[in-house]
Amino acid sequence: MSQTEEPDQELPVVETATAKTGNGFILIVAATGLVGIAGYLITAWVPKLIGVAPYATFAVFWAFTFLVAAALTGIQQEITRGTQARLPGDTTRSGQAGKFALMAFFGVLVLVLGTAPFWQAAVFPEHGWAMVYPLAVGAASYVPLAVLAGSLYGVSHWKALFALISIEGLLRLVLVIGVAYLIPDAVAFAWAIAIPFPVAVLAVWPFARARIVGKTRLDVSLPQLTWNVGRTIVAAAAMGIMISGFPLVLKLTSPTVSADDLGIIVLAATLTRAPLIVVGMALQSFLIVFFRTRAAQFWRTLLMLEGAVVAVGLVLAVLGYLLGPPIFAFVYPEAPTVGGWIIAILVLSSALVGALCVSAPAVLSRNAHAAFSAGWIVAALTTIGCLLLPLGFIEKTVLALLVGPAAGVLLHAVYLILVRKTRVTAA
């Protein structure tokens, strides 16, 4: 791994921090809060309506969909990093983002449908191909959503981003709860999860295109963009394995565990880890811009953010230990009990993922694609390795959730320290 930032593309123009960025933070956090609440309601409401065991099937499709979506956020991160305002008279690299979106859309569609014969029976044993089609549509439609979001982040069009994020999350809440009451069928749930991706793009694009078309350019050629996106997708896929796709990985590494046991652990992990992780994931592109505009105060910004994440995590872990079991028993009286220590550890693990969600965009903001990817990959491989250990279901799950993200944060920290020492020596 190189100890210096990569010089393989034009460096983006570094702007100073402005009130506009601060307003953007408020809007993005507000949208994230709305979507987080929507996701929380889905996670809490659906198992009450359909039962914990059927919820396991719902959770696996949800995990698979957002595992793919998490991988494709690598597109959004690279588009965010590379988008620049187009200077008057500059006609170079026109329409590259749109061309890439179209190619990647069909690429993802073909990839999902083409590989489905090898995994659909294992992942969806009861429904098979009926679950593959909504997965393919949702995954492919996430590509234009990611490109649009990345372009909007690149030009700091916060209002359009607020609309894009909010529409996608809130529409999903309406559709999923509607299906739960009207036709609580697994395939119907699958379509309710997938449809908001394309609808959000279609709703926002007419109002956002004026800020993008002809007014922005990417700082790399289309082949270089594809190469960069490939690396960020690998990192984002690793992130997805640890977060959105964790229930799927847990199911595949624990095939003998009952649906009830799997469902209750997935439910507990999702509810307790969501507050920090949802915010951390949603702010990835914003943090790239945030670190980029504060290059002169990079270390101070990084340490303050990491300290805030750890502090919030510790407070939430204590609250989870004290209040989690009675709240869980009240909301899900027929479900198995969940101990306070398990809830506290689950919350602490979310703080570690949150710390990784800060260190990763900090590294990527310095164009260090290899180090960025390596942190997430090491974290994901460590997580899977822990789940394959010959331990009890609860023990290996807790170990994986703690050790995995800690390994990724450590790698990013070592890289950044080495780069800093190299610069000091060179100076």
Side-chain angles (χ1 to χ4, degrees), residues 91-187:
T91 59
T92 61
R93 297 171 183 164
S94 178
Q96 284 185 320
K99 294 173 186 175
F100 177 84
L102 187 62
M103 292 188 300
F105 172 87
F106 286 107
V108 171
L109 188 67
V110 171
L111 181 64
V112 174
L113 294 176
T115 61
F118 302 102
W119 48 260
Q120 55 88 16
V123 178
F124 307 122
E126 297 180 1
H127 302 91
W129 280 95
M131 302 287 276
V132 172
Y133 298 127
L135 177 67
V137 170
S141 299
Y142 191 84
V143 171
L145 188 148
V147 171
L148 176 58
S151 299
L152 293 174
Y153 272 111
V155 297
S156 301
H157 195 346
W158 307 119
K159 291 181 180 179
L161 278 165
F162 176 86
L164 186 68
I165 295 170
S166 301
I167 290 171
E168 189 232 321
L170 295 177
L171 177 60
R172 184 170 292 108
L173 170 64
V174 172
L175 293 178
V176 168
I177 298 302
V179 167
Y181 275 108
L182 299 176
I183 42 173
D185 173 74
V187 177

Side-chain angles (χ1 to χ4, degrees), residues 36 49 56 72 83 89 95 124 129 136 167 170 184 187 194 196 239 256 325 363 370 384 389 410 418:
L49 295 174
L72 295 176
T83 296
F124 307 122
W129 280 95
I167 290 171
L170 295 177
V187 177
M239 175 179 69
T256 60
V363 170
I384 295 172
L389 293 174
L410 179 61
L418 290 175

Side-chain angles (χ1 to χ4, degrees), residues 75-83 149-150 153-154 285 288-289 292:
I75 296 174
Q76 177 180 313
Q77 292 165 4
E78 180 57 22
I79 296 292
T80 298
R81 187 210 60 75
T83 296
Y153 272 111
S285 291
I288 294 172
V289 177
R292 192 173 67 185

Side-chain angles (χ1 to χ4, degrees), residues 24 29 81 108 112 152 187 214 229 234 238 240 284 323 356 382 407-408 411:
V29 168
R81 187 210 60 75
V108 171
V112 174
L152 293 174
V187 177
V229 164
V234 170
Q284 290 293 281
L323 304 177
L356 189 53
T382 304
L411 189 147

Side-chain angles (χ1 to χ4, degrees), residues 173 188 209 254 318 338 346 397:
L173 170 64
R209 67 184 308 274
S254 307
V318 172
V338 181
L346 290 174
T397 300

